[in-house]
Amino acid sequence: VTTVAQEPSVQRSSLERWLFAPVPLGRVAAFRTLVYLFVVYDVAFRSASALGKAHVAAGLYHPLKVARLVPIFPAPSASVVSITFWALLVLAPVAAFSRRPRAVGVAVFLLYFEWMLIAMSYGKVDHDRLGFLVALALLPTVGRAAYGDETTSESAGWVFRMVQLAVVATYVLAAYAKMRFGGVRWLWGSTLAWAIERRGTWFSRWLLSVPLLLQMFQVLMIAFEALSPLIFVVSERVRRRIVAGLYGFHVITALALTITFAPHLVAMSAFLPLEQVTPVRWARSLLGRDRSAVGVPLRLGE
Amino acid sequence: MGPWGRGARLLITGALVSLTVLGTVRGADDDFPFGPLRMYATAHRPDAPVDDTWPWARDERGREILLDQAAMGIRRAEIEGQLPSFVRQPTRLRLLADAYEARNHGAPRIESVEIRTRRILMHQGKPTGRVHVVVRARWTR
């Protein structure tokens, strides 16, 4: 008797089908490029703070729990900082173009995690990169992936689902944290006025004279954060619009408070059909060259 | 994907979801990367003053220098995070002078560092226009 019990799709729950909903490998290739090039940009241009740590006397250093518990992450001496810095600048571009994606991917994740521990062990922890760290941690679980490859993969689908979950958790758990730390008073408090007074811009400072408007924004913000999981139940068309709306929200936040949440924005692209972005092919077709010859991976049966 | 791969991924899923939720419900910043997502989660009373805190240095030529991230590589939020320890032990401000001098070779020597708070008085969520400047901690070489 031939059995179909081994066929996984037969016995799966709908939750599993959702967690492992396959996506094209081309999306993995494009997402890798985005994520790992952001690592280069982040380390090279946004981490002056972490680099400065090499000069700071150990007196300001308070290691985070994970560094205290897991001794493989060394304390930031000048040499640890510069080794981590240069290793990331060399390895992240390699991973960006899917060369040895598993080994190099794991190395980049560990190095970037150490870089985060350096950046966040001096009195301030950032809350803008849960999704980004999940992407770095899990991308190595997918093997080789070529740009434009339309072969779908469940293991790739799982990585994207996990990043999406982390991105949405960032909103919904932020709403929870506001209730936990601020309480209901948060809604009619003056947190936004406080934020604008401290780091407002020409774009936002006028709002200080209209506190009622700021309080309305606070209510709207917590409502959209709390309702953000709905993004998983709407249609694909609506989902894209919501993602566009979220990017818009972050553009406004950046203009108003000069806070960009940049790693979170990179992770949020996990909701988009990135495999359709093929700049090399566009450039070739613009130049009038044969577009079918290059950029498309050769697959059996073609 | 084989049954082992699937099982492992389900386990990782469960672990990540539990740690993230637990971190927000019970955890603290120290639990990075699973700490609570507490950006702007503190409630401020509409009549409570807004504190704008910065470290300042004075060099041997008497020039005042704002010790921001560009000047010494330490972020303002980090100074605020460690403010209680600077208030308790103002000699720790020497570390900021060291950080500045290490980044600015050949610059005139820092003679003193102080942390100043501009306390912006508010009324019903609006700035009143009155500002008090308070020195929180001070160190002189």
Side-chain angles (χ1 to χ4, degrees), chain A residues 12 16 49 53 57 59-60 65 68 119 122 126-127 158 180 182 186 189-191 194 197-198 208 259, chain B residues 1 6 13 24-25 27 29-31 36-37 40-42 44-45 51 73 75 78 80 82 92 95 120 126:
Chain A
R12 285 194 182 184
E16 268 185 79
S49 160
K53 305 293 154 60
L60 288 176
K65 187 183 279 173
R68 301 195 303 267
Y122 290 82
D126 292 334
H127 308 94
W158 176 72
R180 177 183 162 195
W186 191 90
S190 59
T191 297
W194 177 85
E197 189 58 74
R198 285 162 48 92
L208 283 171
I259 294 176
Chain B
M1 190 192 303
R6 207 170 85 221
T13 306
T24 286
V25 176
D29 272 347
D30 193 34
D31 297 309
L37 290 150
Y40 291 106
T42 310
H44 294 266
R45 281 182 300 110
D51 280 0
R75 297 178 290 169
E78 293 172 325
E80 289 179 314
Q82 301 218 12
R92 283 166 56 80
L95 299 171
I120 300 149
K126 255 197 240 187

Side-chain angles (χ1 to χ4, degrees), chain A residues 223-289:
Chain A
F224 108 70
E225 284 177 344
L227 295 175
S228 58
L230 290 178
I231 196 171
F232 289 119
V233 298
V234 295
S235 71
E236 187 59 33
R237 206 168 59 96
V238 177
R239 183 159 31 246
R240 301 248 170 101
R241 288 194 182 162
I242 294 177
V243 171
L246 290 173
Y247 277 114
F249 166 75
H250 289 286
V251 168
I252 290 171
T253 316
L255 288 172
L257 297 173
T258 65
I259 294 176
T260 56
F261 280 85
H264 173 77
L265 301 184
V266 173
M268 197 152 67
S269 71
F271 278 106
L272 303 174
L274 295 173
E275 70 278 11
Q276 292 171 14
V277 185
T278 51
V280 176
R281 249 188 284 176
W282 294 343
R284 278 173 203 280
S285 67
L286 212 66
L287 293 171
R289 297 239 228 109

